[in-house]
Structures are given as C-alpha cells and as structure tokens.
Amino acid sequence: MPFSRLHEWILGDLSAALQRLAFLPEAWRYRLVSAAVGQQSRYFRTHRLRIVQIAPGQVSIRAGNRRALRNRAGALHAMAASVAGEYAAALVVAQHLPRGARVRVKSVHADFRKPLRGGVQAQASLDPAQIGAAANAGGGRLRVPMKVIDETGAAPVRGHVDVVWSSAPRTPRAPA
C-alpha cells in the first residue's frame, strides 16, 4: 500500500486498523497512526503531536515542549495544549465508530487554571454509556471530557470537546 493512502486505510476504520496492526510493537503502531493523522491534519503534523496510548475508551497524545509551541513567558502555549486535547477527543470517538463514519469537532471548551510546565500529555476518555452510543448510532453528538497533564503531574487544563459524527456517505450537491 502506498504511503499516500495510509491515512485512508487507518482512519477509515480506526479500531479495525489497530487490530490489523496488532502484530507490530505498540510504539510502531502508535507511530503509524500518528503519521496517518498527521497526513490528514496540518496542525497535528506541524505541532509534532504524538499518540502515546490508544486503549478502549481512552486516548493520550503528547505535545513536546518545543520552542515553536511556547508563548512569550517561555511555557508551552495553552492553545497548543488544547489542540492536543481536541485531537485526543476526536480519536477516542473515532475509535468506536463504524467504518466510513465522518468525525467533526464542533466546539472546544478549555479552562486554563495555571501555566503549563514542560511538555504535556492530553487525555480524553469515554465512559461505557458513551461508547455504546457511538458504536450503535448512525450519527450523533458526544461531549468528551479532556484534560492536559504537564510534566509536574498537575492538570492545569481541563475541559470538554463536542464531537459530532455521521455514518451517511456524502453525496455531491446538484448544481443550482
């Protein structure tokens, strides 16, 4: 399979792709999924975000303390941290959707409690009721809680992400 089609193969059905890649070491699987998401999304690639863990109902994404992501105070910019949380929430929902479903993030609400120290890890998780709602519905909306943990172990950013999805294939619009 050419690398240019990797993102379609992986992101078209994330849970099945993870099962097909189960023979690989965990770090390699996450690296392939990170490359696929980075190919699909400019911000994931340019912020150099990396998937740390994908478990049923939970996704963790790491954002390193790079110079390009720092604010004037020298700490990691709060919006860079919330972008990592946004991707984590979208991936945790996409993990439980049927093949071909389209995921969209509608809104992000983040409370920035104090400055970030060092690199961060964004975590998003679903409870079993939300997992069932995502797996059994053709379309819907979920409010996914997310938090960002910095190197000190504190969670200075907490919030939620509203994620919507639809399983219906897109049809081109008729010319008016």
Side-chain angles (χ1 to χ4, degrees), residues 1-37:
M1 169 182 311
F3 188 74
S4 63
R5 307 298 260 175
L6 177 69
H7 68 281
E8 293 173 8
W9 182 73
I10 290 178
L11 298 178
D13 189 0
L14 184 59
S15 61
L18 288 171
Q19 289 174 355
R20 288 189 301 260
L21 296 173
F23 69 94
L24 293 172
E26 189 175 86
W28 290 13
R29 278 186 301 220
Y30 297 156
R31 187 71 175 179
L32 280 172
V33 175
S34 292
V37 175

Side-chain angles (χ1 to χ4, degrees), residues 51-112:
I51 296 172
V52 177
Q53 177 193 20
I54 298 179
Q58 185 174 3
V59 172
S60 297
I61 294 179
R62 180 180 54 83
N65 189 11
R66 300 183 319 105
R67 183 175 182 200
L69 299 180
R70 291 187 200 136
N71 57 16
R72 286 183 272 174
L76 190 72
H77 199 282
M79 289 311 295
S82 68
V83 165
E86 179 182 346
Y87 280 110
L91 282 175
V92 77
V93 172
Q95 175 184 8
H96 299 289
L97 295 179
R99 180 174 178 79
R102 301 180 62 84
V103 178
R104 297 282 183 249
V105 172
K106 288 304 252 184
S107 67
V108 178
H109 176 82
D111 293 325
F112 305 105

